[in-house]
Amino acid sequence: MKVGILGGGLTGLTIGYLLKKQNLDFEILEKNNECGGLCRTMQECGFTFDIAGGHIIFSKDKEVLNFKLDILGDNKVRSKRNTKILYKDVFVKYPFENGLSGLSKEDNFECLNGFVKTINQKYDIPKNFNEWIYQTFGNGIAEKYMIPYNEKIWNFKTENMATFWVDGRIPKPPSEDIIKSSLGIETEGYIHQSHFYYPKQGGIQALTDSIEDKIKDNITKEFRITSIKKEAGKWAVYGNNEKKIFDQIVSTIPVIDLIKLLDEVPEEIMNAINNLKYNSLITVMLGVDTDKLNDLHWLYIPDKNVLPHRLVFPKNNTPNTTPEGKSSIVAEITFNEGDDISRMTDEEIVKKVIADLDEKKIIDKNLVCYQKLIRLKYAYVVYDLEYEKNIIKIHKFFEEKGIDLCGRFSEYRYINMDACIRSAMNYVESNNFTQ
C-alpha cells in the first residue's frame, strides 16, 4: 500500500513521520519549495521571524508535547510566560480577568460587579458567542476586553459566532480568582501554558524541519496538484504534467482548495464550502535598533484604533532571533479580502503599524532598522452560526468519496499545533495500513 499525503505542513509531515516509523510507503506532495505551512520561519539580515505570528510549544496532551520536545532534541528553551494586554495605555496582566487590579478603580469595580452578577444567575443556553461572553464574564469584562478583542482578531461580530468551540479554549474563571484578581492577590489563568518551549535556533520552523529531515526522501516539493481522480480502484493525483498513483490519500491542504481538484461536486456541497468562513493574516516584521524593548513574550491590543491585535517579541523567547544589539517585533493583523485592511498597500500597513507602536511608546519609530510584510490567505477558521450545518455535509461528502481529511484547514477546525499533531496521530492509529 502507498499513501499519498497532500500538503507538507505540520500535520502532513507528522503523518509521514509516523508512517515511516511503521515502515509504510508514502509520499508527501507539497506545492511550495519548502514545507512547514503556517509553521514556516523567515531568516533575513540576522533576524528570525515566524511568518504566521507567534508560535509557542505547549500542550495539555503529554504525548504530543513529548513528541515535539523529542523531535527538537537539545534545540529548545523553556520560558515562563510573561504576557500582557494593552488596555487604555496600561499593561494589564493576561488573561484580563486575572489582572483586574491593574485597572482604574472604576474599571475594576465595573468588571468585578458585572462578574458577581453572573454568579448563581440562571441563563438560557447562549445562542451565540456574544451571549456566552456576557453570561460567563459579565458586562464589565465583556465590554472592556472580551468583545472588542475577539471581534478584532476574528474580524467577525461575536453575535454571529457559534459557542460550541469555547469549551476548553476559553475556560470559565473560578469566582474566587476574579475576586482575588480585583483585590490584587496574585492569580494565574491558563496555567497549562504558563510555561512554554521554543526552539533555541531557527524559529518554529526548526520543529517542522526536524520532522522533514527524517522523511525527506518521501517528499516531493513544488508539486502543484491540478486534479484528483479515482482510476481502477486507486487514486490518481495529477500535477506538474505527471500522474501519481496511491492506494489511499489523506489531505492536509485547505478543503476550500481541495474541492476544486475534484470533478462533479454536488451543488449542495459547493454551497457548503463557499459558506465556510475564515480569516487571512498579515504579519508585519520589524527590526529595532535597541538591545531590549521589554520583557514580554506577547501583547494583546483590543483597541480598534491600533492596527495589530497582537504583538510578539521573538527575542524574549530566545536571543538567537536578532543580530547583536537589536530587537524585533511581529505584529499580527487579521483581515478578509475586500475589507478596508485588504485594500491598504503593504507600505501603508507598515507605516500605520510603526506609527501606532510609536504612539503607544512600544517602540521609537526612528529606531526601526528592518521591515517586512507577509500576507497569508488561510490563518484562522471562523465558527459562524452556520458552521456546524455546513461542515457536517462536507465531512460526509469526503468520507463517502474516500478522501481522508486531517489538519486545521482540511478538517476545517480551529486547532493549534498540538491538536494538529494529535489529529495526525489519531489518523495513523485509526487506520489499518498494510504493506
Side-chain angles (χ1 to χ4, degrees), residues 323-339:
E324 187 174 351
K326 313 286 185 187
S327 294
S328 63
I329 294 179
V330 178
E332 302 175 11
I333 305 158
T334 47
F335 74 100
N336 292 102
E337 203 57 48
D339 66 16

Side-chain angles (χ1 to χ4, degrees), residues 138-403:
N139 291 13
I141 296 173
E143 293 168 8
K144 296 178 193 304
Y145 175 68
M146 286 295 294
I147 291 174
Y149 182 75
N150 277 285
E151 293 193 347
K152 189 175 180 183
I153 186 175
W154 295 112
N155 202 23
F156 210 78
K157 288 293 183 182
T158 50
E159 56 259 39
N160 295 327
M161 293 180 67
T163 62
F164 68 89
W165 61 278
V166 298
D167 185 32
R169 187 173 284 276
I170 308 179
K172 184 168 183 174
S175 57
E176 57 267 28
D177 279 8
I178 297 285
I179 296 168
K180 285 181 179 178
S181 167
S182 180
L183 293 172
I185 300 172
E186 189 72 14
T187 58
E188 199 68 51
Y190 299 175
I191 57 175
H192 63 283
Q193 55 168 245
S194 60
H195 288 82
F196 66 89
Y197 295 87
Y198 190 79
K200 189 184 300 181
Q201 302 273 2
I204 201 63
Q205 191 171 330
L207 175 65
T208 51
D209 281 353
S210 296
I211 301 173
E212 179 184 348
D213 186 60
K214 296 170 175 57
I215 57 173
K216 56 189 175 184
D217 293 340
N218 296 76
I219 301 173
T220 301
K221 299 179 183 178
E222 296 186 274
F223 190 92
R224 293 194 167 271
I225 302 171
T226 54
S227 66
I228 300 171
K229 298 178 181 179
K230 200 72 177 284
E231 296 179 359
K234 295 183 181 292
W235 286 105
V237 179
Y238 290 85
N240 294 14
N241 297 315
E242 61 177 304
K243 177 172 71 171
K244 292 182 177 289
I245 300 296
F246 301 105
D247 298 286
Q248 184 169 332
I249 56 174
V250 52
S251 175
T252 71
I253 67 176
V255 71
I256 295 171
D257 295 336
L258 176 64
I259 201 76
K260 300 171 185 175
L261 305 175
L262 305 177
D263 295 330
E264 300 178 357
V265 177
E267 183 179 0
E268 180 185 27
I269 302 304
M270 285 306 306
N271 288 338
I273 291 280
N274 292 333
N275 285 328
L276 295 175
K277 304 294 190 298
Y278 65 90
N279 281 331
S280 301
L281 182 70
I282 290 169
T283 49
V284 175
M285 293 156 276
L286 303 175
V288 186
D289 193 12
T290 185
D291 186 57
K292 191 173 184 65
L293 289 169
N294 52 51
D295 294 316
L296 301 177
H297 293 110
W298 60 93
L299 176 69
Y300 297 96
I301 308 176
D303 186 349
K304 66 180 180 181
N305 295 313
V306 178
L307 199 53
H309 62 264
R310 188 171 77 145
L311 304 177
V312 179
F313 304 93
K315 190 173 184 177
N316 295 332
N317 287 348
T318 171
N320 301 313
T321 55
T322 65
E324 187 174 351
K326 313 286 185 187
S327 294
S328 63
I329 294 179
V330 178
E332 302 175 11
I333 305 158
T334 47
F335 74 100
N336 292 102
E337 203 57 48
D339 66 16
D340 291 343
I341 293 175
S342 73
R343 288 191 287 268
M344 294 174 70
T345 66
D346 290 1
E347 183 180 0
E348 289 171 336
I349 291 171
V350 172
K351 185 177 180 181
K352 167 78 167 133
V353 168
I354 292 174
D356 287 347
L357 302 192
D358 179 75
E359 181 185 349
K360 296 299 180 182
K361 297 181 171 42
I362 295 168
I363 62 168
D364 179 344
K365 64 183 178 182
N366 298 308
L367 295 179
V368 174
C369 58
Y370 174 91
Q371 57 189 51
K372 186 98 172 187
L373 181 148
I374 289 179
R375 297 178 188 242
L376 297 169
K377 181 177 180 179
Y378 298 112
Y380 298 107
V381 171
V382 177
Y383 291 130
D384 71 326
L385 296 175
E386 301 297 311
Y387 168 86
E388 289 181 287
K389 178 183 71 175
N390 290 321
I391 206 65
I392 287 171
K393 294 177 184 177
I394 293 165
H395 282 181
K396 183 180 179 183
F397 169 78
F398 280 102
E399 184 179 350
E400 293 174 348
K401 200 83 173 172
I403 298 176

